[in-house]
Amino acid sequence: MRVSLFITCLVDMFQTDVGKATVEVLERLGCEIDFPKGQICCGQPAYNSGYVKDSKEAMKRMIETFEHAEYVVVPSGSCGTMFKEYPHIFKDEPIWNEKAQKLADKTYEFTQFIVNVLKVEDVGAKLEGKATYHTSCHMTRLLGVKDEPIRLLENVKGLEIVPLKNNFNCCGFGGTFSVKMGNISEQMVDEKVQHIEETNADYLIGADCGCLMNIGGRSERLQKPVRVMHIAEVLNSR
């Protein structure tokens, strides 16, 4: 099975270890990975800020870049959701709409691909300690991926998963929201950090780097000891 990796801007620029872990997990599960070098931003920040016309150029570039992929896997529910939005965005452009639909149909978030396509729930990972899981908004509410990460984490040997209070509440990141509404965003992430601390977890695990960067940064400023990990890094632990 050939998988094309959509790495996302945040992984490419800030959290390259997540990309490495994603590749290593998928390779152990028998996938052949390729990395289309033409990929750029999916256009989400510009699109969500109202620059629809400008964002379409980036989207067309991504559609062409992954046109010949068999499967597209992305370690981000948020960016994966954006690919699913492409057909709607190009609904009035028949040629691009068709291409966008093909891309959307073959795109999967990392855990979604492992559980629903590869039919694997135990990847052989091992990590000692107690962990809690943050459910990111786009991944759960828009992409509909809710159970898959938990099913994978429950099979990580040595890892105890404890529930997070108000786990479906936003962490306050929201991309440009955290920039434009900084005071509100800070209060939201403070509440999230407080609930994480109440679990006494050693690890906070999530599947979206934006959320993890936001929560991890605030936790560090508040000098909270929890270690923040992307789920790909957890599943790559041996």
Side-chain angles (χ1 to χ4, degrees):
M1 185 176 291
R2 191 172 182 85
V3 171
S4 295
L5 182 63
F6 167 25
I7 199 59
T8 80
C9 298
L10 290 182
V11 173
D12 182 46
M13 292 187 288
F14 298 112
Q15 296 174 314
T16 54
D17 285 347
V18 174
K20 179 181 178 182
T22 299
V23 170
E24 291 180 351
V25 170
L26 292 175
E27 285 183 337
R28 281 202 303 274
L29 295 176
C31 297
E32 181 182 350
I33 311 298
D34 70 72
F35 181 79
K37 294 183 179 180
Q39 62 183 286
I40 55 174
C41 177
C42 65
Q44 182 177 173
Y47 179 75
N48 287 349
S49 296
Y51 300 101
V52 178
K53 181 179 178 181
D54 296 324
S55 66
K56 281 186 174 182
E57 294 306 310
M59 296 177 197
K60 289 178 179 179
R61 169 76 173 270
M62 292 295 270
I63 290 171
E64 291 175 335
T65 297
F66 289 97
E67 191 168 10
H68 301 293
E70 180 179 353
Y71 292 97
V72 178
V73 173
V74 51
S76 164
S78 181
C79 297
T81 296
M82 193 60 197
F83 270 14
K84 300 291 186 180
E85 288 290 312
Y86 280 11
H88 169 73
I89 295 169
F90 289 102
K91 66 181 186 299
D92 296 324
E93 301 177 50
I95 294 176
W96 285 105
N97 173 264
E98 182 180 354
K99 292 182 177 182
Q101 189 62 60
K102 289 179 179 179
L103 175 59
D105 291 343
K106 62 186 177 184
T107 297
Y108 296 86
E109 182 273 331
F110 175 65
T111 64
Q112 181 187 37
F113 182 75
I114 294 175
V115 173
N116 298 335
V117 179
L118 298 182
K119 306 298 182 182
V120 174
E121 294 189 11
D122 187 346
V123 301
K126 181 179 180 181
L127 182 65
E128 296 288 340
K130 182 188 294 186
T132 193
Y133 178 77
H134 166 67
T135 53
S136 56
C137 296
H138 281 186
M139 185 164 162
T140 54
R141 295 184 175 98
L142 300 181
L143 196 59
V145 177
K146 300 178 181 179
D147 299 331
E148 291 86 343
I150 301 302
R151 286 153 69 180
L152 288 164
L153 291 174
E154 286 177 342
N155 285 298
V156 175
K157 295 175 179 61
L159 191 64
E160 177 189 355
I161 304 297
V162 294
L164 180 62
K165 183 180 178 181
N166 296 337
N167 63 312
F168 283 102
N169 283 6
C170 178
C171 71
F173 178 61
T176 55
F177 172 82
S178 61
V179 177
K180 295 178 179 179
M181 304 289 183
N183 291 336
I184 299 174
S185 174
E186 181 180 308
Q187 292 178 50
M188 294 170 72
V189 73
D190 279 350
E191 181 181 67
K192 182 68 66 173
V193 170
Q194 177 186 335
H195 291 157
I196 292 168
E197 185 178 26
E198 290 169 357
T199 67
N200 292 315
D202 304 301
Y203 307 99
L204 168 70
I205 301 171
D208 264 300
C209 286
C211 301
L212 295 178
M213 185 171 64
N214 187 46
I215 299 170
R218 190 58 178 164
S219 296
E220 186 173 337
R221 284 192 177 191
L222 296 175
Q223 299 183 332
K224 305 299 181 183
V226 68
R227 180 183 175 187
V228 176
M229 296 183 73
H230 189 280
I231 193 169
E233 296 174 297
V234 176
L235 298 180
N236 198 39
S237 302
R238 311 293 288 177

